[in-house]
């Protein structure tokens, strides 16, 4: 298929094939499944590591795990911004302005780390 509308026709045929595959798969599942699936005793019981579950299902999670995850995401985002900056830094006309902008960015991140350190968030007890 060539021309301007040929690309749309190809996309339309692909979408039609995907819908037909989806409908066929779910129809086959409905036809081939057992009419009354068995529900043996213990099928819906919790299972972990080969041991029978003991106690309740509620467990308290400490907030420090979330804080460490948040700090990791913060540093990962910082790294994502540092790599393009390093690629642009050596181009003409980007020198002083680029260093100033990245200095402000790193200073804000450093202030966040300093705040977390002063509040003893980074201490693992």
């Amino acid at each position: 298929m060539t021309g301007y509308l040929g690309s749309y026709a190809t996309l339309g045929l692909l979408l039609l094939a995907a819908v037909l595959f989806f409908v066929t798969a779910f129809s086959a599942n409905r036809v081939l499944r057992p009419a009354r699936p068995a529900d043996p005793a213990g099928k819906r019981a919790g299972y972990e590591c080969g041991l029978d579950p003991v106690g309740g299902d509620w467990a308290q999670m400490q907030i420090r795990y979330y804080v460490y995850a948040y700090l990791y995401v913060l540093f990962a985002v910082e790294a994502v911004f540092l790599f393009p900056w390093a690629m642009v830094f050596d181009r003409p006309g980007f020198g002083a302005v680029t260093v100033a902008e990245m200095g402000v960015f790193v200073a804000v991140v450093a202030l966040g780390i300093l705040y977390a350190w002063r509040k003893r968030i980074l201490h693992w007890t």
Side-chain angles (χ1 to χ4, degrees), residues 31-124:
V31 169
L32 298 175
R33 73 176 182 183
R36 305 192 91 211
D39 196 8
K43 180 177 182 177
R44 300 187 190 277
Y47 179 80
E48 184 174 339
C49 301
L51 302 174
D52 291 329
V54 177
D57 60 350
W58 187 84
Q60 184 176 0
M61 182 67 98
Q62 295 190 12
I63 190 68
R64 68 175 166 223
Y65 300 122
Y66 296 108
V67 171
Y68 278 101
Y70 179 72
L71 288 173
Y72 170 76
V73 169
L74 179 75
F75 290 124
V77 168
E78 180 184 4
V80 165
F81 283 121
L82 282 174
F83 285 118
W85 172 77
M87 297 301 295
V88 171
F89 178 67
D90 66 343
R91 293 187 184 163
F94 287 102
V97 174
T98 307
V99 170
E101 289 174 353
M102 192 49 63
V104 169
F105 178 72
V106 170
V108 168
V109 172
L111 282 174
I113 294 170
L114 180 65
Y115 176 78
W117 180 63
R118 298 277 294 177
K119 291 289 186 176
R120 297 188 164 273
I121 292 174
L122 300 177
H123 287 267
W124 191 268

Side-chain angles (χ1 to χ4, degrees), residues 9-35:
T10 304
L11 179 65
L13 288 174
L14 182 66
L15 289 174
L16 180 66
V19 168
L20 285 175
F21 180 77
F22 179 80
V23 169
T24 303
F26 275 87
S27 298
N29 182 29
R30 189 169 188 86
V31 169
L32 298 175
R33 73 176 182 183

